[in-house]
Amino acid sequence: MAVALVASVTSVLISTHVRAQKPATTAPAQVTNLLTQMDTAANNRNVQDVVGLFADNFTHSDGLTRQTLKEALNNLWKRYPNLKYRTELKSWKPAGRGVQADTITYITGTQTDGDREFKLNSTLEASQVIENQKIVRQDILNERSQITSGTNPPELKINLPEQVRAGQEFTFDAIVQEPLGDDLLVGAALEEPVKPEGYLNVTTANLEALPAGGIFKVGKAPQNTANQWLSAVVVRHDGITMVTQRLKIIGTR
């Protein structure tokens, strides 16, 4: 059975949340206006308006360009035509000729594949530099996506550090929270480097029988500092759950 990864495409939109007491009321108009325009354009699936909020020469921590951003959004909205976006401002501060805004975006929606419906819930934290009502730099700080399907999808608890050092071992567990009874679990754990191609290509997973309780893996971070997407897929007769989280890789001491 193949299950498509989704986290790779949820990262293409902004998210913001300010640490000031009331950031939305104290932030410059260019920040609040841009976030409102972004949510409106994304909720209307207007890819030209979304891309138009990014500067021609903008840079992205994952290597995205305006063109790959546009392609990723079109692919995502084709699969999930009713996504809803809500962005909150977390903090802001002056940055050179513009403003640095830290945000969090909540993304929800459904996809129908045959007679099965898949529900998507994602959160994306990002930091962006805004100049002249355009995003000139965006860095993804954290992200988590969950896809569920069926009448009783497994409830998973994910154990994964937010960051590890290059070359360091880490544990990745997806623990089923409710009693299993006689249920047979199948699933898989996946690890992918975060790169522009991952936003455009669908990854599949070959599911195997799981030991009772879920997925328990030990991984090793790459020697470089390329972030990774870690995913767990767990399936039983009455439901499917897939969770993807970003693992940040930092330099060695």
Side-chain angles (χ1 to χ4, degrees):
M1 180 178 181
V3 180
L5 292 179
V6 164
S8 57
V9 286
T10 63
S11 302
V12 297
L13 292 177
I14 324 190
S15 44
T16 323
H17 199 174
V18 178
R19 293 188 185 116
Q21 185 177 5
K22 293 182 179 180
T25 60
T26 61
Q30 72 162 318
V31 173
T32 55
N33 289 343
L34 184 143
L35 297 180
T36 298
Q37 293 173 40
M38 180 67 73
D39 278 352
T40 299
N43 285 321
N44 290 332
R45 261 71 66 191
N46 189 326
V47 69
Q48 291 300 131
D49 282 357
V50 171
V51 174
L53 294 173
F54 291 81
D56 292 340
N57 62 340
F58 100 100
T59 58
H60 193 280
S61 58
D62 297 342
L64 286 173
T65 64
R66 282 166 56 101
Q67 182 59 34
T68 53
L69 172 63
K70 182 178 180 179
E71 293 173 6
L73 284 173
N74 282 329
N75 289 343
L76 176 62
W77 292 341
K78 184 176 181 180
R79 293 164 53 201
Y80 288 87
N82 62 352
L83 287 184
K84 298 297 182 183
Y85 296 83
R86 180 173 63 86
T87 299
E88 295 179 358
L89 186 60
K90 189 176 180 182
S91 64
W92 67 271
K93 62 181 181 181
R97 295 175 297 175
V99 177
Q100 177 183 319
D102 291 347
T103 62
I104 182 167
T105 296
Y106 303 92
I107 307 169
T108 60
T110 59
Q111 174 192 34
T112 301
D113 186 359
D115 60 353
R116 185 180 291 274
E117 182 181 72
F118 293 89
K119 298 179 181 179
L120 169 66
N121 283 277
S122 295
T123 57
L124 177 67
E125 297 182 46
S127 178
Q128 38 271 317
V129 176
I130 300 170
E131 296 179 1
N132 299 319
Q133 295 272 11
K134 302 283 187 180
I135 297 170
V136 298
R137 171 72 188 180
Q138 186 176 63
D139 296 282
I140 305 302
L141 305 178
N142 195 13
E143 65 177 315
R144 185 183 192 275
S145 294
Q146 177 173 284
I147 300 172
T148 58
S149 183
T151 58
N152 187 28
E155 181 180 346
L156 300 183
K157 177 183 178 182
I158 303 297
N159 292 330
L160 179 70
E162 288 188 8
Q163 66 180 35
V164 296
R165 293 192 177 277
Q168 178 183 341
E169 286 192 348
F170 62 90
T171 58
F172 176 45
D173 303 329
I175 305 169
V176 180
Q177 294 294 282
E178 62 266 53
L180 297 177
D182 296 328
D183 281 348
L184 173 66
L185 295 178
V186 296
L190 302 169
E191 181 177 358
E192 287 189 301
V194 176
K195 55 185 180 180
E197 293 81 0
Y199 287 85
L200 304 175
N201 301 325
V202 173
T203 300
T204 59
N206 294 319
L207 306 183
E208 301 177 350
L210 298 176
I215 297 173
F216 307 90
K217 296 289 185 180
V218 175
K220 187 173 183 179
Q223 292 298 328
N224 57 39
T225 56
N227 292 343
Q228 304 288 299
W229 284 307
L230 275 294
S231 301
V233 185
V234 177
V235 181
R236 63 185 179 193
H237 76 281
D238 55 358
I240 300 170
T241 299
M242 174 179 174
V243 178
T244 299
Q245 293 185 191
R246 178 180 291 240
L247 177 64
K248 185 177 181 180
I249 313 298
I250 61 177
T252 57
R253 287 193 179 94

